[in-house]
Amino acid sequence: MSDRLLAGLNDKQLAAVTLPAQPALILAGAGSGKTRVLTTRIAWLIQTHQASPQGILAVTFTNKAAKEMVARLGAMLPINTRGMWIGTFHGLCNRLLRAHHRDAGLPQTFQILDTADQLSAIKRLLKGAGIDDEKYPPRNLQAFINGAKESGLRAGSVEVDDPYTRKFVELYAMYDAQCQREGVVDFAELLLRCYELLARNEPTRRHYQQRFGHILVDEFQDTNTLQYKWLKLLAGSHAAIFAVGDDDQSIYAFRGANVGNMADFEREFRVANVIRLEQNYRSHGNILDAANALIRHNARRLGKNLWTAEGTGEPVRVFEAGSDGLEAAWLVDEVKSLIADGLARREVAVLYRSNAQSRVIEHALFNAGIAYRVYGGLRFFERAEVKHALAYLRLIENPADDTAFLRVVNFPPRGIGARTLEQLQDAAKAGGHSLCAAVGGVAGKAGANLAAFVGLIDSLRFETANLPLAEIVEAVIDRSGLVAHYRAEREGQERVENLEELVNAAAAFVAEDGYAQDASGTQADGAAGLPSPLAGFLSHASLEAGENQAAEGQDALQLMTVHAAKGLEFHAVFITGLEEGLFPHENSMQELDGLEEERRLMYVAITRARRRLYLSFAQSRMLHGQTRYGIRSRFIGELPEGGLKWLTPRLREGAGLRLGGWHDAGGAPPAAPAATPSSQHTSGYRIGQTVRHARFGEGVIIRLEGSGTDARAKINFGAQGVKELLLSIARLEAA
């Protein structure tokens, strides 16, 4: 039976599974079969009578992983797995607290608050205490409380350096007291309360230390400070901790994960057994060579080198686009080719660093009629912040839109509660009016708050009446308070990026859908008969949100952020937007070890591909509401040249932009000759000339392209950034 259990394991897997009962660290590379090693280790311990099923504790990071482990064990051994302690940190702590609720100071029927319930409890606390929730945003307080708990700190132990933090500490203590009164715990509290129970109750701690002689931990690189302290308490001085992880795939520092726990574990437990699982069963050689070469640039790693017996496979394809739109168009063509060759859509993944990048790709797929699904997230026009902005735009276009009114009348919060809205709806029903028209029927402070909101919508309508569509959207997301609201949130930057991408979507819509506008924003003759640009854009947004959504189970292309892709694998993978400042993300430059985490993120992205890997970047991209001209990511330069196949001719530093078109260059051709644009253009302008624009102020022309009505200028406006303007409508003045 034992031989049958161990059959098929490679030498390193076999060595890991059959280790003696001592602390061990298994460095399991991507695609190296770590789940098989974990479950086989448990089965082997039970079958060889080194442990009973009740004497093993196995910790995973997701319920899905725990269920898979239990199912595999049930198939391996004729045992009842129902009573085994296999689960997530939170699940196991919940189980332990239920058994010792009195010692933990909890009612037997304590309830667990999910993230949304916790936020509601915090809002209720602030309201009851008369605290200004604009000065102390609920989401920020929630992040502060959870961060403190995940570091093992109660309110009294948090270091205070300023009055603002002191107030947060006071509110943390009040929140703890409220939860205790109500008999509820949040997710972070489960682990902290369980840790405190074991730390102060020696008989209970000793009982579990004696019971669990073997502790197995999956994804050890993702453990935070408190989780590691909890494991050490449970292990005591005798338990054999079998820690499986990959420091090269540690990508959750923003959630509190501490990759240093792996090195600390090796040192503190005097680990004599460090086994590296390096044989990869997923990817071909060129893909693994790229991953290995990239990650070697990280200094702080335990070290390993992935290899495969499957051969080198195809080279890694690299594509350089003139713009993000051309990048998306190329991607669509490649996807069509893959599908035509018989590859299922679900076997193709498109990865990007930030959610805002999906909009251009989604638009190209929508136009091509290719079904897709955004994995682990929402499609661009379905994201809450985007729908909020669209609701404001709908009210500008049609103040009688009650659905839009209700969505944003109190978002961002402006003191308009449920009771006020009930009064308004009653007034609207009695008079047969829209909610907006019925505002005058509500008296007092509630009526004043409603009137202020309607006044905001009216002023936005007036102020944006003659602006181009993109500027209307920009003004609305700014004046509505949406950008300021999300910037105040601890993790609101991604939502701000999505709002800025909505401005880009509006600009692209005007350019692509026949809405020619003059400089004042008025429709030109060519757009006669069309609805207003704003009305057309709102219809377009609704259509893109509603169409090409793949039904559950339907074969669909997979779109996702790199973070969402961890743990998944696909036949073909596209990694898009590989430009400095985007991937690696510009924020990483300001963070300690930020660049190393970005490189680990790229490593994860590369190792999702089984057979074919595409890397792409663009010379220009609409970001944060403006065109940005970037350079390719340093990560491409860190890959082995011999394993790359450039699909476009490579440009040497300083060469002119290659605009439009692509072809299979069959490798890495010589650099294109440098462009030598003439100083004088047929438009009468010249490179280096200083000009003035009504909105952007003074700038210097850095490039001139096209002729006649298609003549364009790229102008550096300093603090306003680089803009590309159509000279026929820009109305530039010589400065």
Side-chain angles (χ1 to χ4, degrees):
M1 179 82 176
S2 178
D3 290 343
R4 203 161 60 243
L5 197 67
L6 304 177
L9 296 175
N10 65 40
D11 291 345
K12 290 296 181 70
Q13 290 174 334
L14 180 63
V17 167
T18 58
L19 279 171
Q22 300 171 357
L25 179 60
I26 313 301
L27 293 177
S32 63
K34 71 176 178 63
T35 304
R36 183 182 184 188
V37 167
L38 268 168
T39 50
T40 307
R41 167 73 172 177
I42 296 172
W44 182 77
L45 288 171
I46 295 170
Q47 191 183 61
T48 56
H49 306 292
Q50 297 182 61
S52 69
Q54 289 71 39
I56 292 172
L57 180 83
V59 190
T60 67
F61 265 81
T62 65
N63 287 314
K64 179 182 177 183
K67 289 177 181 176
E68 181 182 352
M69 194 177 293
V70 170
R72 288 195 187 193
L73 277 172
M76 287 179 172
L77 297 174
I79 60 171
N80 184 356
T81 59
R82 285 179 63 86
M84 293 187 69
W85 284 66
I86 299 175
T88 64
F89 280 100
H90 294 115
L92 294 171
C93 285
N94 174 53
R95 183 171 175 179
L96 202 149
L97 288 172
R98 296 286 176 190
H100 304 277
H101 63 91
R102 287 191 183 87
D103 291 335
L106 290 170
Q108 186 174 9
T109 57
F110 71 84
Q111 297 299 306
I112 300 171
L113 301 176
D114 62 20
T115 304
D117 290 337
Q118 183 192 28
L119 184 61
S120 296
I122 288 171
K123 289 178 178 177
R124 182 159 45 83
L125 170 75
L126 295 176
K127 185 175 182 180
I131 302 295
D132 182 356
D133 62 4
E134 291 190 7
K135 186 175 181 181
Y136 302 100
R139 288 187 187 276
N140 288 16
L141 178 57
Q142 181 181 37
F144 176 84
I145 291 171
N146 290 340
K149 289 185 177 185
E150 287 165 4
S151 298
L153 301 174
R154 289 292 179 195
S157 303
V158 177
E159 291 186 11
V160 177
D161 298 323
D162 58 87
Y164 192 81
T165 304
R166 183 175 294 109
K167 189 62 178 179
F168 263 25
V169 169
E170 291 174 12
L171 293 170
Y172 175 13
M174 292 168 62
Y175 168 78
D176 259 1
Q178 174 179 288
C179 289
Q180 189 64 33
R181 281 195 311 271
E182 297 174 1
V184 297
V185 297
D186 54 50
F187 282 129
E189 181 70 18
L190 282 171
L191 189 61
L192 180 55
R193 186 72 67 108
C194 188
Y195 172 78
E196 291 171 339
L197 167 69
L198 294 172
R200 68 170 179 259
N201 193 315
E202 186 178 352
T204 302
R205 181 174 69 251
R206 192 183 306 117
H207 166 77
Y208 285 104
Q209 287 175 345
Q210 291 173 351
R211 174 172 181 171
F212 298 126
H214 291 271
I215 298 176
L216 300 94
V217 189
D218 192 12
E219 305 286 10
F220 195 80
Q221 77 280 354
D222 292 335
T223 53
N224 63 31
T225 300
L226 183 58
Q227 288 164 343
Y228 181 46
K229 289 171 69 175
W230 182 83
L231 286 167
K232 288 195 291 184
L233 263 187
L234 270 178
S237 57
H238 304 296
I241 293 188
F242 187 84
V244 181
D246 183 1
D247 57 326
D248 291 333
Q249 294 190 75
S250 180
I251 59 173
Y252 295 119
F254 67 97
R255 292 182 187 167
N258 181 9
V259 66
N261 285 345
M262 298 188 78
D264 290 346
F265 170 68
E266 185 180 2
R267 183 185 69 257
E268 293 171 4
F269 282 80
R270 297 181 177 85
V271 176
N273 298 306
V274 177
I275 294 181
R276 289 168 169 81
L277 303 183
E278 297 173 305
Q279 184 174 358
N280 177 282
Y281 293 92
R282 176 187 300 158
S283 308
H284 275 164
N286 279 326
I287 294 171
L288 297 181
D289 289 346
N292 289 328
L294 175 91
I295 205 63
R296 274 196 291 269
H297 286 79
N298 273 3
R300 302 182 184 182
R301 55 190 297 260
L302 299 173
K304 64 184 176 311
N305 198 65
L306 298 178
W307 63 276
T308 181
E310 295 293 314
T312 57
E314 302 176 10
V316 176
R317 293 163 168 82
V318 186
F319 178 78
E320 177 179 16
S323 68
D324 51 353
L326 291 174
E327 179 188 41
W330 161 79
L331 187 151
V332 166
D333 283 350
E334 287 292 334
V335 168
K336 285 181 177 178
S337 178
L338 291 170
I339 294 171
D341 288 343
L343 191 62
R345 292 174 181 84
R346 63 179 172 274
E347 283 292 342
V348 182
V350 179
L351 310 184
Y352 34 80
R353 175 63 181 84
S354 63
N355 264 313
Q357 290 171 251
S358 78
R359 202 274 310 167
V360 175
I361 299 169
E362 287 188 57
H363 182 61
L365 293 170
F366 171 80
N367 286 340
I370 298 176
Y372 68 91
R373 180 178 293 107
V374 177
Y375 180 91
L378 296 169
R379 292 148 62 100
F380 180 78
F381 285 111
E382 294 172 340
R383 294 167 192 164
E385 60 277 12
V386 174
K387 293 184 78 170
H388 287 326
L390 292 173
Y392 278 101
L393 293 166
R394 283 163 57 186
L395 284 174
I396 290 173
E397 183 70 14
N398 175 20
D401 187 334
D402 285 354
T403 302
F405 186 98
L406 288 171
R407 183 176 188 91
V408 294
V409 65
N410 196 43
F411 195 91
R414 47 178 62 89
I416 299 172
R419 180 68 189 124
T420 298
L421 292 177
E422 285 178 18
Q423 294 177 36
L424 178 61
Q425 288 170 320
D426 289 343
K429 187 175 181 180
H433 303 305
S434 68
L435 295 177
C436 191
V439 163
V442 181
K445 183 181 178 182
N449 288 342
L450 287 169
F453 172 70
V454 173
L456 170 65
I457 299 300
D458 289 342
S459 65
L460 280 171
R461 186 180 301 110
F462 175 77
E463 292 168 13
T464 61
N466 294 314
L467 291 179
L469 179 60
E471 293 184 28
I472 293 175
V473 177
E474 190 173 24
V476 165
I477 64 174
D478 181 45
R479 287 265 282 112
S480 64
L482 287 172
V483 170
H485 173 81
Y486 288 121
R487 280 208 172 114
E489 291 187 353
R490 184 172 178 177
E491 296 179 5
Q493 181 57 35
E494 189 173 278
R495 294 184 185 274
V496 173
E497 290 175 1
N498 283 331
L499 289 174
E500 291 169 339
E501 184 60 29
L502 189 63
V503 180
N504 301 339
F509 173 75
V510 170
E512 295 174 14
D513 288 68
Y515 283 95
Q517 290 179 289
D518 63 25
S520 69
T522 305
Q523 283 179 229
D525 291 341
L530 292 173
S532 72
L534 178 54
F537 179 61
L538 292 171
S539 296
H540 158 80
S542 297
L543 288 171
E544 281 215 14
E547 293 187 15
N548 276 18
Q549 174 63 50
E552 197 65 37
Q554 181 185 350
D555 185 29
L557 192 71
Q558 304 293 305
L559 271 61
M560 66 194 75
T561 63
V562 181
H563 279 102
K566 187 170 181 290
L568 304 177
E569 58 183 77
F570 303 91
H571 182 96
V573 170
F574 293 80
I575 308 175
T576 62
L578 282 167
E579 296 126 42
E580 285 292 303
L582 192 56
F583 199 3
H585 198 279
E586 56 194 356
N587 291 349
S588 67
M589 308 306 172
Q590 284 85 48
E591 299 168 357
L592 181 66
D593 298 329
L595 183 58
E596 291 216 346
E597 175 134 343
E598 288 290 299
R599 192 174 282 111
R600 292 195 294 269
L601 197 56
M602 180 66 176
Y603 176 85
V604 167
I606 290 172
T607 54
R608 299 310 95 197
R610 291 197 294 263
R611 296 295 179 264
R612 184 173 289 194
L613 176 63
Y614 296 89
L615 312 177
S616 65
F617 61 100
Q619 296 165 351
S620 69
R621 184 177 299 275
M622 288 288 285
L623 277 176
H624 313 311
Q626 65 182 30
T627 301
R628 285 179 27 171
Y629 299 89
I631 57 175
R632 71 171 178 253
S633 169
R634 70 189 70 194
F635 295 156
I636 294 178
E638 293 173 357
L639 305 181
E641 187 65 45
L644 303 182
K645 178 179 182 179
W646 285 79
L647 303 182
T648 42
R650 296 178 59 183
L651 303 182
R652 71 169 178 262
E653 198 69 30
L657 292 178
R658 174 182 172 82
L659 297 174
W662 51 80
H663 65 276
D664 188 331
T676 55
S678 62
S679 61
Q680 190 72 32
H681 190 260
T682 56
S683 63
Y685 293 101
R686 69 180 187 281
I687 294 174
Q689 181 179 1
T690 301
V691 293
R692 183 180 292 106
H693 185 268
R695 181 175 175 215
F696 303 122
E698 284 194 3
V700 176
I701 296 176
I702 58 175
R703 183 169 294 278
L704 291 162
E705 298 165 348
S707 59
T709 57
D710 192 41
R712 302 178 302 284
K714 291 186 178 70
I715 305 172
N716 187 344
F717 287 104
Q720 299 293 328
V722 175
K723 313 287 182 183
E724 182 172 1
L725 303 176
L726 199 62
L727 292 175
S728 60
I729 65 172
R731 297 184 181 177
L732 297 176
E733 296 177 3

